[in-house]
Amino acid sequence: MHQPATSRGCSSPRSVDESSIETIVRPFKLNDMNYREIMHLMIEKFKEGLSAKTNPIATVKMFPTYVRSTPKGTEVGDFLALDLGGTNFRVLHIKLDGQDTKMESKIFLIPQKIMSGTGTELFDHIADCIYKFVKEQQLLTHYLPLGFTFSFPCRQEGLDKAILTTWTKGFKCEGVEGENIVELLHAAIKRKGQLNIKCVAVINDTVGALMSCAHSDRMCSIGIILGTGTNACYIERLENVDIWNEDKNEPKQVIINTEWGAFGDDGCLDKILTDYDRQVDKHSINPGKQRFEKTISGMYMGELVRLILEKLRRHKLIFNGVGSEELSTRGRFYTKYVSEIESDIDDSFKNTKQVFQDLNLTNFMVEDCRIAQYVCSTISTRAAYLSAAGTAALIHKMGRSEVTVAVDGSLYRFHPHFHDLMVEKIKALCPLTRFRLMLSHDGSGKGAAIVASCATQEGQNQNNNSALRAEVH
C-alpha cells in the first residue's frame, strides 16, 4: 500500500498501521504449495466421485450428463432452447448452419403466484410462452427439437430425463420435486396443442458453456461457471467412469458434471479456511455445504470483503473508525463492488468513492480507498487462484497436452483481473500443458441448441443402424 494522501472531499491524512492491516488479511494469502495441494486433493475427490464404491459418500459427486458427443462445427437445423433458472426465463430460436449461428430470443416473466403454485401451472405457463414465441417467429408448422437449460439441482438419468431433487431460488411449485421435468414439459405442450416440439436434451449451464465454445474450438473439453455460484464439467473417458451403467459403445466418453462447489464439505479444506470463511458459512442458508463455492463465487465474495472492512474499522484502521448501517449489514457489500473498486486505475478512485457513497460512508480519505482496494484484491486473488487450482486439477485428470477451457459467469466476465490471475496460476500448476481460457457466449442458449442438434443426429444414427441390422437379419 502507498502512503496516505489527500483528495478533495476526503478527510485529512492520518498514519496507517500497515502491519496490523497485513495481519488481518494474511490468512487469505496462500502459498504455491497450498494451491498445489488443493489441486492434487481435488483430483482425488474426482476419482472418489467416479468410483461406484466411493461415490455414495463422495462430496464431489461427478454426475454423468449423458452428453457424449461434442459439436463438429458442421451442425445445421432449426432448434428451440429454453433457459430456466430464475424469475425470468428465455425462449430462443437458434438456426445452426455450420459455423454460422443466428439467434432470436424473448424473455418472459414467471409471476410470483406461479413460482409458489403448482407444477402444472408452472409448465402450462412455460408452454403458453413457448407458443407465443413460436407464433411470433412463424414456426408453428415446423417440427422443433428443444434443448432445455434447467438450472436447478437435478439427478440426471438420461439425456432427456432429469429428476428435480429440490427447488431453489424462490421456487416452491408443488408436484415437481422427484419428477422428470421433461415429462412435465411434454405434458404441458400436449395440453396447449398446436406445438410440434420435443425436448431432446436437458443440460446445466456448465455443459452449455462447454458446448457453445466447442462449436468453434474443437479443443474445448472443460466448461466452468464463475458467477453467483461455481461449477465445472469436463469430458471423461468411459473407462474411468465406474458409475456409468449405460452402454459403452462409441463415443467412449461422457461429459461429467463435477458439482465441485461441494469440494471441502468433508473438511478437507478446513486448514486453509479463515475465520471469515467460517462466519460466511455459518450465516448462509446451507451451513457446512458448498465450502469451495463459498471461497470463490459472487454470492459470497462481497460478504468476505465486508467482514474484513468491518474488522479494520473496529480497529480504527479504516474510515477513522466510523462506519455506517450499510457496512454493518450482512450481505450489503455486493460482489459487483469488488469488481468496481478493482477497476480504478489511478488515484482519483472514482469507482471506490462511488461505492463508499452507496454504503453511506462519508468519513474517508484516499488511503482508505487504497486499503479497500487492497482488501478486494486479496480476496479476489485467492478466489481466482482457487478457481485455477480446480481447473488445473481437471487438466491433469484429462491428461491432454492441449485444452481449451470455456468459462462463463458474471464474476469472470466483469472482474478486471480474474482471467489474468487464473492464467498465471494455471501456468504454474500445469507448466507442460497448452491451454486457453475462452469466454463462453450465451452457452445456456446456443449450447442447449447444439446439444439438441447432437442428440437429434445421434438418434437418427441409431435409427439408421437399427434399420440396417434389421435388413441384415
Side-chain angles (χ1 to χ4, degrees):
M1 291 181 296
H2 301 2
Q3 293 301 312
T6 58
S7 175
R8 183 180 300 172
C10 299
S11 303
S12 301
R14 58 176 168 79
S15 61
V16 174
D17 185 349
E18 293 193 7
S19 63
S20 295
I21 295 172
E22 190 62 28
T23 298
I24 290 173
V25 302
R26 187 177 297 123
F28 288 93
K29 294 188 172 184
L30 307 179
N31 58 40
D32 286 345
M33 183 176 294
N34 293 139
Y35 289 112
R36 194 166 294 279
E37 288 176 354
I38 291 167
M39 176 186 72
H40 288 300
L41 188 57
M42 187 172 272
I43 293 173
E44 290 306 309
K45 298 302 177 182
F46 291 159
K47 292 177 181 178
E48 288 179 9
L50 291 171
S51 167
K53 182 178 180 180
T54 53
N55 176 269
I57 60 172
T59 51
V60 184
K61 284 300 184 182
M62 308 296 281
F63 294 124
T65 65
Y66 293 83
V67 178
R68 297 175 63 185
S69 300
T70 52
K72 298 178 174 61
T74 57
E75 288 73 20
V76 296
D78 281 2
F79 301 91
L80 283 185
L82 187 62
D83 179 14
L84 177 63
T87 55
N88 295 325
F89 76 99
R90 287 192 307 160
V91 183
L92 305 95
H93 172 222
I94 300 174
K95 185 182 288 289
L96 299 175
D97 186 8
Q99 289 295 312
D100 187 25
T101 304
K102 295 180 180 179
M103 286 191 290
E104 297 287 343
S105 67
K106 188 169 184 176
I107 296 174
F108 295 91
L109 175 69
I110 299 181
Q112 184 64 42
K113 65 177 182 179
I114 289 181
M115 291 175 63
S116 56
T118 67
T120 298
E121 291 170 338
L122 171 66
F123 283 95
D124 279 349
H125 176 66
I126 291 173
D128 286 341
C129 295
I130 292 174
Y131 174 80
K132 292 175 183 176
F133 177 78
V134 170
K135 186 176 181 181
E136 288 177 4
Q137 296 292 313
Q138 299 182 342
L139 295 169
L140 280 175
T141 59
H142 291 61
Y143 165 69
L144 294 168
L146 182 143
F148 193 177
T149 302
F150 188 74
S151 300
F152 297 92
C154 285
R155 182 179 72 255
Q156 196 107 15
E157 296 184 354
L159 189 56
D160 60 352
K161 187 176 183 180
I163 311 301
L164 177 67
T165 57
T166 182
W167 279 120
T168 57
K169 306 175 186 178
F171 281 75
K172 298 178 182 178
C173 303
E174 64 180 38
V176 184
E177 292 181 353
E179 300 295 329
N180 179 9
I181 61 164
V182 174
E183 288 184 354
L184 297 177
L185 177 62
H186 282 164
I189 288 173
K190 184 176 181 179
R191 286 193 297 271
K192 180 64 183 177
Q194 303 183 69
L195 289 171
N196 191 14
I197 292 169
K198 181 182 179 181
C199 179
V200 296
V202 183
I203 65 171
N204 69 13
D205 46 6
T206 62
V207 176
L210 190 161
M211 296 294 279
S212 179
C213 288
H215 189 242
S216 57
D217 186 338
R218 297 300 306 282
M219 300 305 297
C220 186
S221 50
I222 296 174
I224 296 176
I225 299 297
L226 293 166
T228 304
T230 183
N231 192 17
C233 71
Y234 75 109
I235 299 173
E236 180 60 275
R237 295 185 295 274
L238 285 182
E239 65 192 62
N240 296 328
V241 188
D242 193 35
I243 55 176
W244 180 259
N245 296 316
E246 309 297 320
D247 73 83
K248 294 191 176 182
N249 297 326
E250 295 293 340
K252 294 185 179 297
Q253 63 180 31
V254 65
I255 295 179
I256 297 292
N257 167 25
T258 67
E259 292 293 341
W260 77 4
F263 176 52
D265 288 4
D266 58 357
C268 68
L269 289 179
D270 285 359
K271 73 175 184 178
I272 66 113
L273 297 179
T274 69
D275 289 340
Y276 309 97
D277 293 307
R278 284 182 272 274
Q279 192 169 343
V280 165
D281 177 58
K282 177 182 177 181
H283 293 290
S284 70
I285 62 173
N286 53 349
K289 304 294 184 182
Q290 300 295 104
R291 301 304 297 271
F292 187 61
E293 180 173 82
K294 289 170 183 172
T295 64
I296 291 174
S297 70
M299 182 172 284
Y300 309 100
M301 182 185 290
E303 179 63 8
L304 288 170
V305 171
R306 187 193 72 82
L307 290 171
I308 296 174
L309 293 179
E310 266 291 86
K311 185 165 186 176
L312 292 172
R313 181 198 62 77
R314 290 196 302 271
H315 287 74
K316 296 188 177 181
L317 296 169
I318 194 171
F319 309 134
N320 206 26
V322 180
S324 67
E325 181 180 351
E326 288 81 358
L327 186 64
S328 64
T329 300
R330 188 179 300 122
R332 183 60 178 81
F333 194 101
Y334 308 129
T335 295
K336 70 172 185 175
Y337 290 162
V338 179
S339 296
E340 290 168 359
I341 287 173
E342 290 195 66
S343 294
D344 277 332
I345 58 175
D346 57 43
D347 284 352
S348 68
F349 291 108
K350 179 181 177 182
N351 294 329
T352 305
K353 292 175 183 177
Q354 182 60 56
V355 169
F356 288 171
Q357 289 178 22
D358 289 348
L359 295 170
N360 201 26
L361 295 165
T362 57
N363 190 28
F364 65 88
M365 50 181 279
V366 166
E367 188 59 33
D368 295 322
C369 297
R370 292 196 180 97
I371 294 170
Q373 192 174 74
Y374 179 63
V375 171
C376 289
S377 174
T378 301
I379 300 303
S380 63
T381 296
R382 186 189 69 160
Y385 285 175
L386 286 170
S387 302
T391 307
L394 289 173
I395 291 173
H396 281 292
K397 180 69 178 69
M398 296 179 70
R400 300 188 181 186
S401 61
E402 183 175 358
V403 62
T404 295
V405 181
V407 192
D408 201 358
S410 54
L411 179 59
Y412 178 84
R413 187 180 291 268
F414 297 118
H415 190 281
H417 310 302
F418 217 88
H419 170 88
D420 292 341
L421 289 167
M422 284 187 68
V423 169
E424 170 195 330
K425 188 57 64 177
I426 295 171
K427 282 183 178 179
L429 295 172
C430 303
L432 302 179
T433 304
R434 296 188 300 276
F435 69 92
R436 172 191 179 199
L437 300 187
M438 180 180 183
L439 180 63
S440 175
H441 294 284
D442 198 28
S444 59
K446 180 181 175 182
I450 292 170
V451 173
S453 173
C454 293
T456 302
Q457 183 61 49
E458 187 173 321
Q460 291 173 348
N461 291 341
Q462 289 176 352
N463 290 338
N464 292 339
N465 291 339
S466 298
L468 182 61
R469 285 195 294 269
E471 289 179 10
V472 170
H473 293 290

